[in-house]
Amino acid sequence: MDKNRYLDLSNLSKVYETKKGPFVVLEDFSLQIPESEFVCLIGHSGCGKSTILSMAAGLNDITKGSVAVADKEINGPGPDRGVVFQAPSLLPWLSAYDNVMLGVKKVYPHASAKEKEEIVMHYLHAVGLGGAIEKKPKELSSGMRQRVGIARAFALKPKIMLLDEPLGMLDALTKYELQDLIVKLHAEHKLTTLMVTHDVDEALYLSDRVIMMTNGPKATLGDILINDLPRPRDRQTLLNHPDYYPYREHLISFLEEQEELKKKHA
Amino acid sequence: MKQKLINFFELTGLTWFIPIVRLCTGDDPKEQIGDLSRQIALPLAAMVSFFMIWSYCSTKIKTSVGQLPGPSYVLSQAKAMWATHKSEKFNKEEFKTNEELRISVAELIEQRQKTTSLETKKSLTSKINSIKAVILKHLSQLENEIKVNQAIVDKAEADKKAQVTAMTTQLNSLKKFVFDENNKAVLGPDGKPKLSDESLSKLANINNRRVAVFEGNLVRIYKSSENTAKSLIKKIEKIDTYYQQDIAYQAALNKDELEKKIISNKKKLDAFEKQIFKGKEYNSNGSIVDYIKLSITTVIFGFCLAAGIAIPMGILCGLSPSIMTALNPLIQTFRPVSPLAWVLITIQIIDGIFVGDNALTGEILKNTFLHAGITVALCSMWATLSNTALGVSSVDPDHMNVAKVLKLNWFDRIFKIVIPSAIPYIFTGLRITLGVGWMVLIVAEMMATSRGLGWFIDQEYQNNKVESLANIIVCIFIIGLIGAVLDRIMSVFQKLVSFNDDVAA
Ligand SMILES: Nc1ncnc2c1ncn2[C@@H]1O[C@H](COP(=O)(O)OP(=O)(O)OP(=O)(O)O)[C@@H](O)[C@H]1O
Ligand SMILES: [Mg+2]
């Protein structure tokens, strides 16, 4: 098995059939992620980031190209790829505990009831939700809901973690907390992670690599930034790191360039 | 505690209790009183103006049976209906007491007929005679009731008379007479000036109010119960006389001479004993409470039937677009059919299945009950069906994605994702179903002659009297109130099962 292409997206294309004819969102997008690397995907709204992620998850049909996990081409969705979306998409009629349990039951069918309970409790504690396990999603704050979503994804013991703007709807403080949570979980589990974000600082704080996408239609990989800021990272010291601002500048200027292009196009 | 109460009132939609709770627990009185006046004063003002308009209109509108009953008349009719219910209840109780006494006597007599042992016969005889004491005790209670109630009746009659006299004088002094075109008072048949229609209707209102119905009825009931009890005593005594004589004759020495007497005595004894064995059916049209009970039972039956059919069908339709496409034309065709049409066909089908008037046993499970209940189900199930189908087919794609990522099998997908997420829709449908069902029920009962509120309204309508009109108006209020309560209950369920807070009140 090639450790350098644990998650292998090769020559992905996506065409949506619309009323106005075929709409090519994505063309020839390739990305290899080595095992336990954390990759962030940034790009303008509508360029097709979610499309890539949902194709990798198997929730969206692949028009052309292929997705392979650990050298095995995927065929539809499965619990080997944990997914967290912007909206936590918890089942509203189940408590936080049961939401996590639903997946655990599926992934550990032979575990005893007690073992399952321990797994669920472990992950709920890990995301800091030990005290609210019996609460229904509507009784939780949006930050807590997203924590449940993260716990649910990690409890599946996936090989790959796919995060689509998981912190997009949260306020700054909650965002920081959950970023730290993600860092902690990644350090612990060393999961290969592909995360979409709009937030440049978030990308620099979390990732090992930042992938920049060109604008759609026919969007594709635009630029790659190797983010070698030293780990473990601390928000304050990170800001003072000499590379931080150049990296940030790199990302922002890419996005601005794309914005300019878009205006010219229009 | 306080928060619990507030939550409860919020859940049930009785929000105007909340300021009262807050006031009692010492929250800022000014704010709460403001809240209270908004929540209570406005509806109250609307209510008062409604009654005023009604009251005014009732003096102006003439129906085919007389003046339209005003609020106070309707209220007195409502009281009369309640009184009728109570006397009905007493009647039933008295009937039961008397029947029980008769049955215990009859049992003892039967035992005495069967046994051959003289000793047992003797002891049974004394037991029969001792029942007399029980009956006498019951009689003395009745006498007391009669006295008390008779006094009330007499007073009520006197009051009524006084009221009529006062009203007549008042009307006369107001000189609300009828004038002809020459402005001359028109004379009535009695030679006195004729009163105007409006004045007459005022008088009629008093006369019509059944002032002493309740107490009068009670006196009647108690008197008839008294008669029954007395005649039972008489029968026991007669039986005893002939029985003792029989023993005496049997023991006499010159039997041959007595032969004739023995035979005729035996015949008389048999005749009286037979009378004791004969029971009576309790016969009554019931009272308003019985009608309400039956109506509610029927609507719940129809509702459960509707839910039992519509929810599974709705789930199937929601799951499979082809089933939906197949059934949709049928659903669209049957949905708008009037209860009047359904009830007739239901009557014929049910009567065909359960031949006879009362093929099913039990008091409420008569054919007419099924007619009305099934009609309710047929008319009301559609809302639940389409809502369930909608809920099942519009499962949040995010939730479906969860199922896909977890690779849930078909069964788990349906029972763990699809149906739970459709539950709020299903309950919205059920709430509509119950509302429609309650509305349809009244018509169905009229047609099916199931003895609920609808039947009662129809009966009253056939009566063709102002009084009946007032009874119908009372029923309208009762129907409305029960409908509102049923809807409240369903809305509570709806809120309990909803995942979001934005469910309509
Ligand atoms: N089912 C669909 N049918 C047609 N077009 C679609 C469909 N889903 C997405 N699109 C289009 O594909 C493009 C990419 O969508 P996508 O959701 O992947 O963007 P994104 O990069 O995630 O944007 P954002 O940052 O706003 O989340 C958009 O222009 C969108 O309009
Ligand atoms: Mg997106």
Side-chain angles (χ1 to χ4, degrees):
Chain A
M1 189 179 79
D2 190 348
K3 291 229 171 198
N4 282 329
R5 39 175 72 212
Y6 196 68
L7 174 62
D8 185 0
L9 313 175
S10 54
N11 308 93
L12 281 183
S13 295
K14 179 73 192 178
V15 182
Y16 283 117
E17 293 302 331
T18 65
K19 276 178 200 148
K20 291 180 195 161
F23 175 62
V24 185
V25 181
L26 207 66
E27 202 168 57
D28 210 23
F29 179 92
S30 292
L31 175 67
Q32 280 78 39
I33 305 180
E35 190 165 10
S36 61
E37 192 186 38
F38 198 118
V39 173
C40 275
L41 199 57
I42 65 170
H44 279 290
S45 183
C47 69
K49 304 181 293 294
S50 300
T51 307
I52 291 177
L53 219 75
S54 59
M55 282 196 294
L59 293 168
N60 202 341
D61 291 334
I62 298 167
T63 311
K64 230 160 93 200
S66 67
V67 176
V69 176
D71 286 343
K72 267 220 307 274
E73 190 161 336
I74 63 151
N75 177 21
D80 60 329
R81 278 150 290 145
V83 193
V84 181
F85 294 110
Q86 186 169 16
S89 67
L90 302 176
L91 303 180
W93 54 90
L94 295 181
S95 64
Y97 178 89
D98 289 330
N99 260 294
V100 179
M101 184 52 110
L102 187 70
V104 170
K105 266 190 190 155
K106 187 69 202 178
V107 182
Y108 303 88
H110 304 300
S112 71
K114 195 156 178 295
E115 281 165 346
K116 282 181 204 159
E117 191 189 325
E118 271 165 11
I119 295 169
V120 173
M121 290 310 289
H122 170 80
Y123 284 100
L124 281 173
H125 276 291
V127 298
L129 265 181
I133 55 166
E134 283 311 328
K135 287 207 169 131
K136 295 273 166 68
K138 77 170 172 189
E139 298 161 329
L140 298 170
S141 69
S142 49
M144 285 157 105
R145 268 180 239 163
Q146 201 54 283
R147 281 169 198 261
V148 181
I150 292 170
R152 178 175 63 183
F154 274 92
L156 297 179
K157 275 249 168 253
K159 294 178 181 154
I160 306 277
M161 190 56 81
L162 301 166
L163 310 171
D164 189 357
E165 296 182 51
L167 314 181
M169 291 199 305
L170 304 177
D171 61 279
L173 234 69
T174 320
K175 211 169 175 173
Y176 286 163
E177 276 175 28
L178 289 198
Q179 283 169 2
D180 291 340
L181 174 66
I182 290 174
V183 168
K184 185 188 101 180
L185 288 170
H186 184 249
E188 232 171 75
H189 298 273
K190 295 273 173 239
L191 277 179
T192 314
T193 307
L194 178 58
M195 170 166 163
V196 172
T197 176
H198 269 132
D199 184 338
V200 172
D201 294 301
E202 182 172 282
L204 287 174
Y205 184 55
L206 296 173
S207 69
D208 300 313
R209 230 170 3 136
V210 185
I211 310 295
M212 287 158 268
M213 282 184 70
T214 63
N215 278 341
K218 298 191 182 174
T220 188
L221 198 146
D223 196 357
I224 297 181
L225 173 87
I226 310 285
N227 177 11
D228 52 6
L229 295 169
R231 284 179 191 270
R233 292 171 188 161
D234 169 75
R235 240 179 229 101
Q236 202 52 50
T237 43
L238 211 60
L239 288 179
N240 297 329
H241 195 279
D243 285 343
Y244 188 77
Y245 276 97
Y247 285 174
R248 197 171 185 275
E249 199 45 49
H250 182 165
L251 296 177
I252 288 178
S253 61
F254 177 85
L255 291 175
E256 273 170 357
E257 248 169 55
Q258 292 294 323
E259 186 72 29
E260 287 297 314
L261 278 174
K262 199 198 248 170
K263 271 188 196 149
K264 240 188 240 166
H265 235 79
Chain B
M1 175 65 199
K2 171 184 159 194
Q3 200 50 45
K4 255 187 192 165
L5 267 178
I6 290 176
N7 284 348
F8 173 77
F9 287 129
E10 231 152 45
L11 188 66
T12 48
L14 304 169
T15 43
W16 44 275
F17 274 116
I18 294 173
I20 300 181
V21 174
R22 288 194 196 274
L23 207 57
C24 291
T25 50
D27 280 9
D28 174 29
K30 218 171 173 186
E31 192 183 321
Q32 301 312 322
I33 286 173
D35 227 18
L36 197 64
S37 56
R38 228 171 307 119
Q39 296 240 27
I40 295 184
L42 287 179
L44 205 64
M47 204 97 84
V48 169
S49 16
F50 166 72
F51 281 113
M52 270 161 61
I53 294 168
W54 174 17
S55 189
Y56 175 77
C57 289
S58 68
T59 61
K60 299 289 170 204
I61 297 175
K62 273 195 89 152
T63 69
S64 58
V65 290
Q67 206 68 30
L68 182 75
S72 61
Y73 187 6
V74 169
L75 182 65
S76 77
Q77 246 349 81
K79 282 184 190 157
M81 271 162 87
W82 181 243
T84 317
H85 158 67
K86 274 192 161 166
S87 49
E88 178 66 32
K89 208 170 115 197
F90 281 118
N91 201 5
K92 207 169 181 175
E93 277 164 13
E94 284 300 319
F95 177 86
K96 248 175 79 187
T97 319
N98 278 325
E99 266 300 279
E100 273 162 12
L101 289 168
R102 181 196 64 76
I103 288 168
S104 50
V105 174
E107 272 169 3
L108 291 171
I109 288 177
E110 203 184 353
Q111 282 174 31
R112 190 170 70 181
Q113 283 176 348
K114 278 184 188 150
T115 179
T116 47
S117 140
L118 271 181
E119 272 312 300
T120 335
K121 279 195 188 209
K122 230 183 202 169
S123 87
L124 284 170
T125 307
S126 75
K127 264 189 199 163
I128 293 172
N129 281 325
S130 72
I131 288 183
K132 263 198 303 196
V134 182
I135 302 175
L136 280 172
K137 206 175 138 208
H138 179 56
L139 273 176
S140 78
Q141 275 169 5
L142 279 177
E143 259 163 38
N144 205 21
E145 296 280 358
I146 291 172
K147 235 187 258 164
V148 173
N149 285 301
Q150 190 61 53
I152 300 174
V153 174
D154 290 344
K155 188 176 171 297
E157 289 290 341
D159 281 357
K160 179 170 133 187
K161 229 179 234 166
Q163 229 183 329
V164 172
T165 325
M167 186 65 123
T168 316
T169 2
Q170 195 193 348
L171 286 173
N172 274 325
S173 68
L174 284 173
K175 298 222 184 323
K176 293 237 169 175
F177 300 119
V178 183
F179 296 98
D180 60 13
E181 56 270 26
N182 300 328
N183 232 359
K184 270 176 82 181
V186 179
L187 295 188
D190 54 354
K192 289 178 188 166
K194 205 175 149 188
L195 284 167
S196 70
D197 276 352
E198 198 186 329
S199 314
L200 281 174
S201 90
K202 276 189 183 165
L203 260 179
N205 262 358
I206 297 183
N207 283 326
N208 266 329
R209 279 179 207 169
R210 295 199 251 160
V211 190
V213 174
F214 174 39
E215 290 79 9
N217 267 353
L218 277 188
V219 173
R220 194 176 47 72
I221 289 163
Y222 289 137
K223 277 193 175 151
S224 99
S225 178
E226 189 183 33
N227 283 339
T228 318
K230 273 182 180 160
S231 89
L232 187 58
I233 289 189
K234 237 181 223 160
K235 278 174 199 156
I236 295 173
E237 279 169 350
K238 272 270 164 59
I239 288 170
D240 200 48
T241 321
Y242 291 118
Y243 179 72
Q244 299 300 348
Q245 274 180 20
D246 199 42
I247 292 173
Y249 292 147
Q250 299 282 352
L253 292 173
N254 45 350
K255 261 191 186 168
D256 292 347
E257 280 175 37
L258 287 173
E259 198 60 41
K260 255 193 181 164
K261 270 189 179 173
I262 291 175
I263 291 172
S264 98
N265 199 44
K266 184 78 187 141
K267 263 187 192 159
K268 280 177 187 163
L269 181 58
D270 283 349
F272 274 102
E273 285 186 343
K274 241 181 219 158
Q275 280 183 25
I276 293 283
F277 289 142
K278 225 185 274 165
K280 272 193 275 181
E281 274 291 317
Y282 182 72
N283 230 330
S284 139
N285 275 343
S287 69
I288 188 75
V289 175
D290 298 319
Y291 310 143
I292 292 174
K293 274 187 198 159
L294 182 62
S295 281
I296 292 179
T297 319
T298 315
V299 86
I300 290 176
F301 167 75
F303 173 76
C304 293
L305 194 64
I309 298 169
I311 294 176
M313 260 176 79
I315 290 175
L316 284 181
C317 287
L319 285 178
S320 147
S322 17
I323 295 184
M324 186 64 181
T325 320
L327 293 185
N328 203 29
L330 288 176
I331 295 173
Q332 299 303 335
T333 313
F334 288 142
R335 197 224 295 263
V337 174
S338 149
L340 286 167
W342 282 125
V343 74
L344 294 177
I345 203 163
T346 318
I347 290 173
Q348 289 177 338
I349 292 175
I350 293 297
D351 285 353
I353 298 172
F354 305 108
V355 189
D357 199 332
N358 184 9
L360 295 173
T361 47
E363 214 174 309
I364 47 167
L365 271 181
K366 290 182 177 158
N367 276 11
T368 54
F369 170 79
L370 284 180
H371 300 155
I374 292 175
T375 306
V376 165
L378 282 174
C379 295
S380 67
M381 62 186 245
W382 310 106
T384 300
L385 203 161
S386 43
N387 264 283
T388 307
L390 177 68
V392 167
S393 61
S394 64
V395 180
D396 190 334
D398 282 351
H399 299 159
M400 266 342 251
N401 280 345
V402 172
K404 282 182 196 158
V405 168
L406 294 179
K407 286 200 164 155
L408 293 183
N409 56 31
W410 184 85
F411 189 84
D412 279 352
R413 253 181 225 209
I414 304 297
F415 285 94
K416 290 198 174 149
I417 311 280
V418 173
I419 293 180
S421 80
I423 289 247
Y425 285 89
I426 296 177
F427 271 78
T428 308
L430 288 177
R431 184 175 172 192
I432 301 172
T433 289
L434 190 58
V436 171
W438 183 245
M439 253 204 290
V440 165
L441 174 77
I442 305 303
V443 181
E445 280 178 340
M446 271 185 201
M447 301 292 292
T449 65
S450 173
R451 297 200 162 181
L453 285 166
W455 173 83
F456 179 63
I457 289 180
D458 194 42
Q459 292 293 304
E460 291 296 309
Y461 174 71
Q462 311 284 349
N463 265 346
N464 233 7
K465 282 189 201 154
V466 180
E467 212 174 86
S468 323
L469 199 54
N471 281 348
I472 293 177
I473 297 177
V474 175
C475 282
I476 287 175
F477 279 102
I478 293 175
I479 292 168
L481 278 176
I482 295 175
V485 169
L486 291 178
D487 188 62
R488 281 291 89 192
I489 294 173
M490 286 312 287
S491 99
V492 170
F493 280 122
Q494 206 186 347
K495 277 183 197 160
L496 286 179
V497 299
S498 83
F499 322 127
N500 316 316
D501 299 321
D502 54 311
V503 177

